[in-house]
Amino acid sequence: MKGMITIMEKNQAQEEAISHKDGPLLVLAGPGSGKTLVITERTKHLIKTHKISENRILVITFTKAAAVEMKNRFLRLMGQNRTVVSFGTFHGIFFSILKRAYGFTAKNIVSEEARIQALNEIIHRQRLEEADEKEFVSDLISEISLVKGNMIDLNNYYSINCSDEVFRTIYNEYNSRLRQARLLDFDDMLVYCYELLSQRPDILKMWQTKFQYILIDEFQDINKLQYDIIRMLAAPEDNLFIVGDDDQSIYRFRGAKPEIMLNFPQDYPSSKKIVLDKNYRSTAKIVEAAGRLITHNEKRFKKSINTVREEGQDIVIKEFKTIGEENTKLVEEILSLNKKGIQLSKMAILVRTNMGYGALVHKLMEYNIPFTMRDSLPNIYDHWISTDIITYIKIALGNKERSNYLRIINRPKRYISRDCFDSPEVNLEDVKDYYEDKSWVIDRLEQLEYDLDLVASSRPYGGINYIRRGIGYEDYLKEYAEARKIKVEELTDIMDELMDNAKEFKSYEQWFSYIDEYKEQLKKQGEKTRGNDVDSVTIATIHSSKGLEFSVIFIVDANEGITPHKKAVLPMDIEEERRLFYVAMTRAKDYLYILSTRERYNKTMESSRFIEELKIKDTNNDC
C-alpha cells in the first residue's frame, strides 16, 4: 500500500523544486507531500526544458524496489518504454563503478549464506558459546556494517554486542576471509569505491563528467561513507538535489546519521532550501497532532506541515488495564470498522519491536481475522529462552535425550563437562560415577534431580517460575545479558510473556498441545494470506511501515519502556524514538488509534510520554 498521491495541480513549493536547475538544493519533504512526484518531474524538467542528456542524470534511492518504482513512474511520465537515466541504489551505482575499474562481477559479491557460515566458523574457532547463535551473528553483521559505513577506526571502537577484543578478532578474520577469496560484502562496495575515487583522480573525473546531475531520495537515511562518495562525485558543480525529511530519520542503528542532512546547509553554503509543507495523505487532526509531537525534538529543521484534507475524525487514545483487554477491544474495533465498509487491507497494527505480540496474534486468530505479517514476527515458543524452559520441563517429565541435557546443563553454570554425556540417552547415575572424585559436582547433580522432581509435579506456570527463580535460570540470563552488553529486561520480558501464556493451563500436556496448535494455526494463517487476493489486516513494526499508508492505523502498547524503548537513554536516542512515533502516526490517512496498558505481565506500566506531548484536546476515548 505504497503512497500513490494523485495531485491534479502542483503546489508552489513543488513547482519551485521541480524547476530548480543548477547548484545544491535541499528539499524537505514532509509525510505525504509528493516527493516522488517532485523527483520524477524535476528529472523530466532537466531533460525537456534544459536539454540535459538522460545519461548525465543519476537518481539514487535506498532500496531496489524504490528504484524500480521511481524508474517506472518516470517512464510513465515521459511516455516512453526505456531510459538511460541511471536509477539505482547506492550499492548498485557504486558497484557499477567498481565493475568498470576492477572487473568485478556478481560472483565477487559474498552471499548472505556465505557471510553467516564464515561468522559461525569464526565464532566456533573462538570457542564462543552463544545461547542464540543466529541472533548473535545477525547482530555482528549489523555491527560490522556500522563500522564500515561510518569509517570507524577499529582501535577506537567499543563493541555493542561483545567484548571489544572479541569483536576486533571476529571483524579482522571476517575481512581477511573475504579478501583471500576476492569477495566483498555490500559495505565493501562503499569502502572500495571511496578508496578508488580518492586515489584515482582520473577515474573520479570520468564519473563526475557522466553524472552531472544527482538526485537522492530519503536523504535523511544516508551514512557518512555514502555521503563522502556522493560529495566527490558531485564536485565541482555540486548539482546535488537531495530530498528527505529529518523528522523521519529512524535508522541510526543501521548507521544513518540525520545530522548529515541537518548540516547540509553548512557543507554547501550556497545551497537553497525548499519545504514541501502540504500533506496530501492525512486528515487535519492527524497532521496537527503529529506536528505537536515532533516539535519536542530540538535537533531538527523547524517546519510547519499543513494538510489539504478535511479536519477528519478525532484521534482515539485509550488506556486499558491489561494486554488482554487491549487486544480484545482492538479486534472488536477492527470488526466494527470492517462492518462500516473499510477493508481489512486498509488497516494496520503497528508494533515497536517484533517480539511480545503472541497474544495479539492469538486474539486475531480467535476472531478469525486474516492478517499479514510484514515482518517475520517471531513465535514466542521458538525463542531460545522458551526452548530452554521447555527442554527443562521435558527432562523433568522423563526425556533423557543427550541433546536436551547438553542444552541446559550449564544454564545456569554447573561446571559440568559435555564429555560426561557420552551416550544417546543420559543416566544421571552414570554422570555421578564420572565425577566420583568431585563431591561438589555430585551435590549439584543431586540438586538438579531434586529440582526436576519439583518441576515435574508443578503446573506449567509454577514449573516455569521455579526454573526461573528456584533453579536459577534468571541468574544465567543476567550473566548472558552482561556478556552480550544488552539489558537483562530484554530477556526477562520473554520469560514474563511465557509465564503469562502458561497461566491458564493445568498440565504440561495441555500447554504443549496448545503450543503445537498455535504453531499450526500460525502456519495456516501465513499460507492463507500469502496471496494478494486475501483481504487482511497488516501487522508491522514501525520501522518497516515507513513509506506505507493505510486508512486506519492502530499503534499498540504506547507505554514507557516500549515506545520510547527501554534502550533509549541518551537525548539523541529519545529524539529518534519520537521520530519513530511520528512516522507511525503519519502512516494514517483517516483513523488513528493509540492504545496503552496500565499493566503488562503483572508489572505496572506508564503511558508513553509521547501521548502527553500530543496535547490532544477533546479527544474521543471510546474504543
Side-chain angles (χ1 to χ4, degrees), residues 588-623:
K589 295 167 66 176
D590 307 302
Y591 300 87
L592 175 60
Y593 297 78
I594 301 175
L595 312 180
S596 63
T597 62
R598 292 193 295 274
E599 182 184 296
R600 186 177 177 88
Y601 308 135
N602 297 318
K603 294 178 182 176
T604 302
M605 302 291 289
E606 293 181 19
S607 293
S608 171
R609 71 191 71 180
F610 301 147
I611 292 176
E612 177 63 27
E613 291 172 358
L614 294 176
K615 297 180 181 176
I616 300 171
K617 298 175 182 178
D618 300 323
T619 299
N620 174 18
N621 285 331
D622 295 329
C623 181

mmCIF file of all heavy atoms in Angstrom, residues 588-623:
data_model
loop_
_atom_site.group_PDB
_atom_site.id
_atom_site.type_symbol
_atom_site.label_atom_id
_atom_site.label_comp_id
_atom_site.label_asym_id
_atom_site.label_seq_id
_atom_site.Cartn_x
_atom_site.Cartn_y
_atom_site.Cartn_z
ATOM 1 N N ALA A 588 -1.214 7.059 8.965
ATOM 2 C CA ALA A 588 -2.681 7.028 8.988
ATOM 3 C C ALA A 588 -3.269 8.101 8.079
ATOM 4 O O ALA A 588 -2.885 9.271 8.147
ATOM 5 C CB ALA A 588 -3.182 7.234 10.415
ATOM 6 N N LYS A 589 -4.226 7.694 7.267
ATOM 7 C CA LYS A 589 -4.921 8.635 6.391
ATOM 8 C C LYS A 589 -6.178 9.199 7.060
ATOM 9 O O LYS A 589 -6.438 10.393 7.010
ATOM 10 C CB LYS A 589 -5.298 7.946 5.081
ATOM 11 C CG LYS A 589 -4.105 7.519 4.247
ATOM 12 C CD LYS A 589 -4.494 6.560 3.123
ATOM 13 C CE LYS A 589 -5.371 7.230 2.087
ATOM 14 N NZ LYS A 589 -5.665 6.315 0.960
ATOM 15 N N ASP A 590 -6.978 8.315 7.681
ATOM 16 C CA ASP A 590 -8.296 8.718 8.170
ATOM 17 C C ASP A 590 -8.523 8.480 9.663
ATOM 18 O O ASP A 590 -9.133 9.305 10.336
ATOM 19 C CB ASP A 590 -9.388 7.974 7.386
ATOM 20 C CG ASP A 590 -9.226 8.141 5.885
ATOM 21 O OD1 ASP A 590 -9.225 9.290 5.423
ATOM 22 O OD2 ASP A 590 -9.070 7.116 5.174
ATOM 23 N N TYR A 591 -8.081 7.340 10.158
ATOM 24 C CA TYR A 591 -8.334 6.965 11.557
ATOM 25 C C TYR A 591 -7.011 6.617 12.229
ATOM 26 O O TYR A 591 -6.201 5.867 11.678
ATOM 27 C CB TYR A 591 -9.260 5.748 11.656
ATOM 28 C CG TYR A 591 -10.621 5.926 11.031
ATOM 29 C CD1 TYR A 591 -10.826 5.662 9.681
ATOM 30 C CD2 TYR A 591 -11.719 6.324 11.801
ATOM 31 C CE1 TYR A 591 -12.082 5.801 9.098
ATOM 32 C CE2 TYR A 591 -12.986 6.467 11.230
ATOM 33 C CZ TYR A 591 -13.149 6.207 9.870
ATOM 34 O OH TYR A 591 -14.392 6.352 9.305
ATOM 35 N N LEU A 592 -6.821 7.132 13.442
ATOM 36 C CA LEU A 592 -5.609 6.818 14.209
ATOM 37 C C LEU A 592 -5.992 6.454 15.638
ATOM 38 O O LEU A 592 -6.685 7.219 16.312
ATOM 39 C CB LEU A 592 -4.656 8.020 14.212
ATOM 40 C CG LEU A 592 -3.383 7.888 15.066
ATOM 41 C CD1 LEU A 592 -2.533 6.705 14.602
ATOM 42 C CD2 LEU A 592 -2.568 9.185 15.011
ATOM 43 N N TYR A 593 -5.555 5.278 16.072
ATOM 44 C CA TYR A 593 -5.789 4.790 17.429
ATOM 45 C C TYR A 593 -4.443 4.626 18.118
ATOM 46 O O TYR A 593 -3.524 4.011 17.563
ATOM 47 C CB TYR A 593 -6.501 3.435 17.413
ATOM 48 C CG TYR A 593 -7.888 3.447 16.814
ATOM 49 C CD1 TYR A 593 -8.078 3.476 15.431
ATOM 50 C CD2 TYR A 593 -9.023 3.420 17.625
ATOM 51 C CE1 TYR A 593 -9.343 3.480 14.869
ATOM 52 C CE2 TYR A 593 -10.302 3.414 17.078
ATOM 53 C CZ TYR A 593 -10.451 3.448 15.700
ATOM 54 O OH TYR A 593 -11.718 3.455 15.152
ATOM 55 N N ILE A 594 -4.339 5.150 19.331
ATOM 56 C CA ILE A 594 -3.118 4.992 20.124
ATOM 57 C C ILE A 594 -3.515 4.315 21.432
ATOM 58 O O ILE A 594 -4.242 4.896 22.246
ATOM 59 C CB ILE A 594 -2.445 6.351 20.393
ATOM 60 C CG1 ILE A 594 -2.101 7.033 19.063
ATOM 61 C CG2 ILE A 594 -1.182 6.168 21.239
ATOM 62 C CD1 ILE A 594 -1.548 8.438 19.215
ATOM 63 N N LEU A 595 -3.054 3.077 21.618
ATOM 64 C CA LEU A 595 -3.507 2.246 22.730
ATOM 65 C C LEU A 595 -2.356 1.946 23.694
ATOM 66 O O LEU A 595 -1.219 1.709 23.280
ATOM 67 C CB LEU A 595 -4.089 0.929 22.199
ATOM 68 C CG LEU A 595 -5.101 1.040 21.036
ATOM 69 C CD1 LEU A 595 -5.579 -0.342 20.623
ATOM 70 C CD2 LEU A 595 -6.274 1.924 21.423
ATOM 71 N N SER A 596 -2.675 1.934 24.984
ATOM 72 C CA SER A 596 -1.667 1.616 26.007
ATOM 73 C C SER A 596 -2.320 0.786 27.104
ATOM 74 O O SER A 596 -3.543 0.634 27.142
ATOM 75 C CB SER A 596 -1.063 2.896 26.587
ATOM 76 O OG SER A 596 -2.068 3.666 27.238
ATOM 77 N N THR A 597 -1.486 0.247 28.000
ATOM 78 C CA THR A 597 -1.994 -0.564 29.117
ATOM 79 C C THR A 597 -1.411 -0.069 30.430
ATOM 80 O O THR A 597 -0.325 0.519 30.460
ATOM 81 C CB THR A 597 -1.647 -2.059 28.939
ATOM 82 O OG1 THR A 597 -0.215 -2.193 28.916
ATOM 83 C CG2 THR A 597 -2.223 -2.617 27.655
ATOM 84 N N ARG A 598 -2.145 -0.321 31.507
ATOM 85 C CA ARG A 598 -1.636 0.050 32.838
ATOM 86 C C ARG A 598 -0.835 -1.079 33.474
ATOM 87 O O ARG A 598 -0.162 -0.877 34.481
ATOM 88 C CB ARG A 598 -2.813 0.426 33.759
ATOM 89 C CG ARG A 598 -3.523 1.699 33.365
ATOM 90 C CD ARG A 598 -4.465 2.194 34.455
ATOM 91 N NE ARG A 598 -5.565 1.283 34.705
ATOM 92 C CZ ARG A 598 -6.718 1.289 34.023
ATOM 93 N NH1 ARG A 598 -6.887 2.153 33.032
ATOM 94 N NH2 ARG A 598 -7.682 0.439 34.315
ATOM 95 N N GLU A 599 -0.962 -2.265 32.873
ATOM 96 C CA GLU A 599 -0.280 -3.429 33.450
ATOM 97 C C GLU A 599 0.187 -4.337 32.323
ATOM 98 O O GLU A 599 -0.490 -4.511 31.314
ATOM 99 C CB GLU A 599 -1.267 -4.178 34.353
ATOM 100 C CG GLU A 599 -0.693 -5.380 35.073
ATOM 101 C CD GLU A 599 -1.769 -6.112 35.863
ATOM 102 O OE1 GLU A 599 -2.319 -5.506 36.804
ATOM 103 O OE2 GLU A 599 -2.066 -7.274 35.515
ATOM 104 N N ARG A 600 1.365 -4.908 32.497
ATOM 105 C CA ARG A 600 1.910 -5.833 31.499
ATOM 106 C C ARG A 600 2.663 -6.930 32.233
ATOM 107 O O ARG A 600 3.661 -6.649 32.902
ATOM 108 C CB ARG A 600 2.835 -5.086 30.525
ATOM 109 C CG ARG A 600 3.358 -5.920 29.355
ATOM 110 C CD ARG A 600 4.197 -5.032 28.443
ATOM 111 N NE ARG A 600 4.800 -5.775 27.342
ATOM 112 C CZ ARG A 600 4.222 -5.991 26.167
ATOM 113 N NH1 ARG A 600 3.009 -5.512 25.941
ATOM 114 N NH2 ARG A 600 4.841 -6.670 25.219
ATOM 115 N N TYR A 601 2.164 -8.139 32.117
ATOM 116 C CA TYR A 601 2.790 -9.284 32.795
ATOM 117 C C TYR A 601 2.994 -9.012 34.278
ATOM 118 O O TYR A 601 4.097 -9.179 34.824
ATOM 119 C CB TYR A 601 4.109 -9.658 32.126
ATOM 120 C CG TYR A 601 3.999 -9.858 30.640
ATOM 121 C CD1 TYR A 601 4.941 -9.310 29.762
ATOM 122 C CD2 TYR A 601 2.937 -10.572 30.079
ATOM 123 C CE1 TYR A 601 4.841 -9.477 28.384
ATOM 124 C CE2 TYR A 601 2.820 -10.740 28.707
ATOM 125 C CZ TYR A 601 3.774 -10.187 27.871
ATOM 126 O OH TYR A 601 3.652 -10.340 26.511
ATOM 127 N N ASN A 602 1.914 -8.526 34.914
ATOM 128 C CA ASN A 602 1.890 -8.253 36.363
ATOM 129 C C ASN A 602 2.797 -7.102 36.787
ATOM 130 O O ASN A 602 3.097 -6.936 37.967
ATOM 131 C CB ASN A 602 2.267 -9.515 37.161
ATOM 132 C CG ASN A 602 1.259 -10.636 36.945
ATOM 133 O OD1 ASN A 602 0.053 -10.393 36.933
ATOM 134 N ND2 ASN A 602 1.762 -11.853 36.762
ATOM 135 N N LYS A 603 3.253 -6.312 35.828
ATOM 136 C CA LYS A 603 4.080 -5.147 36.145
ATOM 137 C C LYS A 603 3.306 -3.887 35.799
ATOM 138 O O LYS A 603 2.651 -3.802 34.758
ATOM 139 C CB LYS A 603 5.391 -5.171 35.351
ATOM 140 C CG LYS A 603 6.317 -6.325 35.718
ATOM 141 C CD LYS A 603 7.567 -6.289 34.846
ATOM 142 C CE LYS A 603 8.495 -7.462 35.148
ATOM 143 N NZ LYS A 603 9.662 -7.485 34.234
ATOM 144 N N THR A 604 3.384 -2.888 36.676
ATOM 145 C CA THR A 604 2.721 -1.612 36.431
ATOM 146 C C THR A 604 3.424 -0.874 35.304
ATOM 147 O O THR A 604 4.649 -0.808 35.251
ATOM 148 C CB THR A 604 2.739 -0.747 37.707
ATOM 149 O OG1 THR A 604 2.085 -1.461 38.755
ATOM 150 C CG2 THR A 604 2.017 0.569 37.475
ATOM 151 N N MET A 605 2.633 -0.335 34.382
ATOM 152 C CA MET A 605 3.181 0.372 33.235
ATOM 153 C C MET A 605 2.691 1.820 33.219
ATOM 154 O O MET A 605 1.614 2.127 33.736
ATOM 155 C CB MET A 605 2.739 -0.312 31.929
ATOM 156 C CG MET A 605 3.130 -1.771 31.804
ATOM 157 S SD MET A 605 4.912 -2.007 31.614
ATOM 158 C CE MET A 605 5.169 -1.383 29.942
ATOM 159 N N GLU A 606 3.479 2.687 32.609
ATOM 160 C CA GLU A 606 3.091 4.080 32.414
ATOM 161 C C GLU A 606 2.853 4.321 30.931
ATOM 162 O O GLU A 606 3.544 3.752 30.078
ATOM 163 C CB GLU A 606 4.194 5.030 32.889
ATOM 164 C CG GLU A 606 4.433 5.026 34.379
ATOM 165 C CD GLU A 606 5.532 6.017 34.768
ATOM 166 O OE1 GLU A 606 5.816 6.931 33.955
ATOM 167 O OE2 GLU A 606 6.096 5.863 35.859
ATOM 168 N N SER A 607 1.878 5.174 30.638
ATOM 169 C CA SER A 607 1.653 5.542 29.244
ATOM 170 C C SER A 607 2.879 6.259 28.698
ATOM 171 O O SER A 607 3.613 6.918 29.438
ATOM 172 C CB SER A 607 0.429 6.448 29.118
ATOM 173 O OG SER A 607 -0.745 5.755 29.445
ATOM 174 N N SER A 608 3.105 6.146 27.397
ATOM 175 C CA SER A 608 4.246 6.799 26.766
ATOM 176 C C SER A 608 4.191 8.310 26.951
ATOM 177 O O SER A 608 3.137 8.932 26.878
ATOM 178 C CB SER A 608 4.264 6.478 25.265
ATOM 179 O OG SER A 608 5.237 7.256 24.602
ATOM 180 N N ARG A 609 5.365 8.893 27.179
ATOM 181 C CA ARG A 609 5.456 10.355 27.292
ATOM 182 C C ARG A 609 4.974 11.034 26.011
ATOM 183 O O ARG A 609 4.555 12.193 26.024
ATOM 184 C CB ARG A 609 6.898 10.756 27.592
ATOM 185 C CG ARG A 609 7.861 10.574 26.426
ATOM 186 C CD ARG A 609 9.307 10.732 26.831
ATOM 187 N NE ARG A 609 9.758 9.607 27.639
ATOM 188 C CZ ARG A 609 10.992 9.507 28.131
ATOM 189 N NH1 ARG A 609 11.862 10.478 27.933
ATOM 190 N NH2 ARG A 609 11.348 8.452 28.843
ATOM 191 N N PHE A 610 5.039 10.295 24.895
ATOM 192 C CA PHE A 610 4.634 10.884 23.619
ATOM 193 C C PHE A 610 3.137 11.187 23.579
ATOM 194 O O PHE A 610 2.708 12.104 22.877
ATOM 195 C CB PHE A 610 5.025 9.960 22.464
ATOM 196 C CG PHE A 610 6.501 9.666 22.380
ATOM 197 C CD1 PHE A 610 6.959 8.437 21.922
ATOM 198 C CD2 PHE A 610 7.440 10.619 22.769
ATOM 199 C CE1 PHE A 610 8.323 8.168 21.848
ATOM 200 C CE2 PHE A 610 8.806 10.353 22.711
ATOM 201 C CZ PHE A 610 9.240 9.121 22.245
ATOM 202 N N ILE A 611 2.359 10.410 24.323
ATOM 203 C CA ILE A 611 0.916 10.681 24.384
ATOM 204 C C ILE A 611 0.667 12.035 25.031
ATOM 205 O O ILE A 611 -0.139 12.840 24.547
ATOM 206 C CB ILE A 611 0.181 9.557 25.149
ATOM 207 C CG1 ILE A 611 0.233 8.252 24.338
ATOM 208 C CG2 ILE A 611 -1.258 9.955 25.444
ATOM 209 C CD1 ILE A 611 -0.388 7.063 25.045
ATOM 210 N N GLU A 612 1.371 12.311 26.110
ATOM 211 C CA GLU A 612 1.218 13.599 26.785
ATOM 212 C C GLU A 612 1.673 14.734 25.877
ATOM 213 O O GLU A 612 1.071 15.818 25.850
ATOM 214 C CB GLU A 612 2.041 13.591 28.084
ATOM 215 C CG GLU A 612 2.029 14.901 28.854
ATOM 216 C CD GLU A 612 0.638 15.286 29.344
ATOM 217 O OE1 GLU A 612 -0.198 14.374 29.561
ATOM 218 O OE2 GLU A 612 0.388 16.489 29.502
ATOM 219 N N GLU A 613 2.725 14.480 25.119
ATOM 220 C CA GLU A 613 3.263 15.526 24.242
ATOM 221 C C GLU A 613 2.327 15.890 23.093
ATOM 222 O O GLU A 613 2.449 16.956 22.488
ATOM 223 C CB GLU A 613 4.629 15.091 23.686
ATOM 224 C CG GLU A 613 5.719 15.048 24.746
ATOM 225 C CD GLU A 613 7.019 14.451 24.255
ATOM 226 O OE1 GLU A 613 7.080 14.025 23.079
ATOM 227 O OE2 GLU A 613 7.979 14.395 25.051
ATOM 228 N N LEU A 614 1.404 14.974 22.776
ATOM 229 C CA LEU A 614 0.446 15.268 21.706
ATOM 230 C C LEU A 614 -0.495 16.401 22.109
ATOM 231 O O LEU A 614 -0.965 17.152 21.258
ATOM 232 C CB LEU A 614 -0.388 14.026 21.372
ATOM 233 C CG LEU A 614 0.368 12.849 20.765
ATOM 234 C CD1 LEU A 614 -0.565 11.673 20.588
ATOM 235 C CD2 LEU A 614 0.974 13.233 19.434
ATOM 236 N N LYS A 615 -0.807 16.467 23.423
ATOM 237 C CA LYS A 615 -1.685 17.519 23.948
ATOM 238 C C LYS A 615 -2.963 17.632 23.136
ATOM 239 O O LYS A 615 -3.370 18.706 22.701
ATOM 240 C CB LYS A 615 -0.959 18.866 23.963
ATOM 241 C CG LYS A 615 0.253 18.891 24.877
ATOM 242 C CD LYS A 615 0.931 20.244 24.850
ATOM 243 C CE LYS A 615 2.171 20.256 25.752
ATOM 244 N NZ LYS A 615 2.905 21.527 25.660
ATOM 245 N N ILE A 616 -3.605 16.513 22.910
ATOM 246 C CA ILE A 616 -4.848 16.499 22.140
ATOM 247 C C ILE A 616 -6.007 16.850 23.062
ATOM 248 O O ILE A 616 -6.189 16.224 24.108
ATOM 249 C CB ILE A 616 -5.086 15.120 21.501
ATOM 250 C CG1 ILE A 616 -3.931 14.792 20.555
ATOM 251 C CG2 ILE A 616 -6.400 15.082 20.753
ATOM 252 C CD1 ILE A 616 -3.951 13.390 20.050
ATOM 253 N N LYS A 617 -6.785 17.832 22.693
ATOM 254 C CA LYS A 617 -7.927 18.244 23.495
ATOM 255 C C LYS A 617 -9.213 17.660 22.916
ATOM 256 O O LYS A 617 -9.323 17.429 21.718
ATOM 257 C CB LYS A 617 -8.014 19.768 23.532
ATOM 258 C CG LYS A 617 -6.801 20.415 24.184
ATOM 259 C CD LYS A 617 -6.869 21.920 24.103
ATOM 260 C CE LYS A 617 -5.608 22.550 24.714
ATOM 261 N NZ LYS A 617 -5.630 24.017 24.606
ATOM 262 N N ASP A 618 -10.189 17.461 23.782
ATOM 263 C CA ASP A 618 -11.493 16.938 23.369
ATOM 264 C C ASP A 618 -11.355 15.641 22.591
ATOM 265 O O ASP A 618 -12.011 15.423 21.582
ATOM 266 C CB ASP A 618 -12.232 17.969 22.507
ATOM 267 C CG ASP A 618 -12.465 19.251 23.286
ATOM 268 O OD1 ASP A 618 -12.733 19.168 24.511
ATOM 269 O OD2 ASP A 618 -12.365 20.319 22.679
ATOM 270 N N THR A 619 -10.425 14.775 23.050
ATOM 271 C CA THR A 619 -10.197 13.511 22.354
ATOM 272 C C THR A 619 -11.302 12.519 22.667
ATOM 273 O O THR A 619 -11.725 12.368 23.803
ATOM 274 C CB THR A 619 -8.836 12.915 22.777
ATOM 275 O OG1 THR A 619 -7.823 13.834 22.412
ATOM 276 C CG2 THR A 619 -8.583 11.603 22.082
ATOM 277 N N ASN A 620 -11.726 11.809 21.645
ATOM 278 C CA ASN A 620 -12.729 10.759 21.829
ATOM 279 C C ASN A 620 -12.047 9.519 22.374
ATOM 280 O O ASN A 620 -11.161 8.979 21.742
ATOM 281 C CB ASN A 620 -13.389 10.454 20.475
ATOM 282 C CG ASN A 620 -14.326 9.271 20.564
ATOM 283 O OD1 ASN A 620 -14.745 8.892 21.652
ATOM 284 N ND2 ASN A 620 -14.661 8.715 19.417
ATOM 285 N N ASN A 621 -12.433 9.083 23.562
ATOM 286 C CA ASN A 621 -11.784 7.934 24.186
ATOM 287 C C ASN A 621 -12.625 6.671 24.097
ATOM 288 O O ASN A 621 -12.403 5.725 24.833
ATOM 289 C CB ASN A 621 -11.479 8.233 25.658
ATOM 290 C CG ASN A 621 -10.291 9.171 25.792
ATOM 291 O OD1 ASN A 621 -9.420 9.155 24.926
ATOM 292 N ND2 ASN A 621 -10.278 9.977 26.821
ATOM 293 N N ASP A 622 -13.573 6.649 23.199
ATOM 294 C CA ASP A 622 -14.378 5.440 23.021
ATOM 295 C C ASP A 622 -13.693 4.534 22.031
ATOM 296 O O ASP A 622 -13.344 4.956 20.934
ATOM 297 C CB ASP A 622 -15.777 5.798 22.503
ATOM 298 C CG ASP A 622 -16.552 6.619 23.525
ATOM 299 O OD1 ASP A 622 -16.308 6.410 24.727
ATOM 300 O OD2 ASP A 622 -17.367 7.453 23.109
ATOM 301 N N CYS A 623 -13.490 3.292 22.430
ATOM 302 C CA CYS A 623 -12.839 2.344 21.532
ATOM 303 C C CYS A 623 -13.641 1.059 21.519
ATOM 304 O O CYS A 623 -13.886 0.483 22.552
ATOM 305 C CB CYS A 623 -11.410 2.067 21.988
ATOM 306 S SG CYS A 623 -10.489 0.926 20.945
#
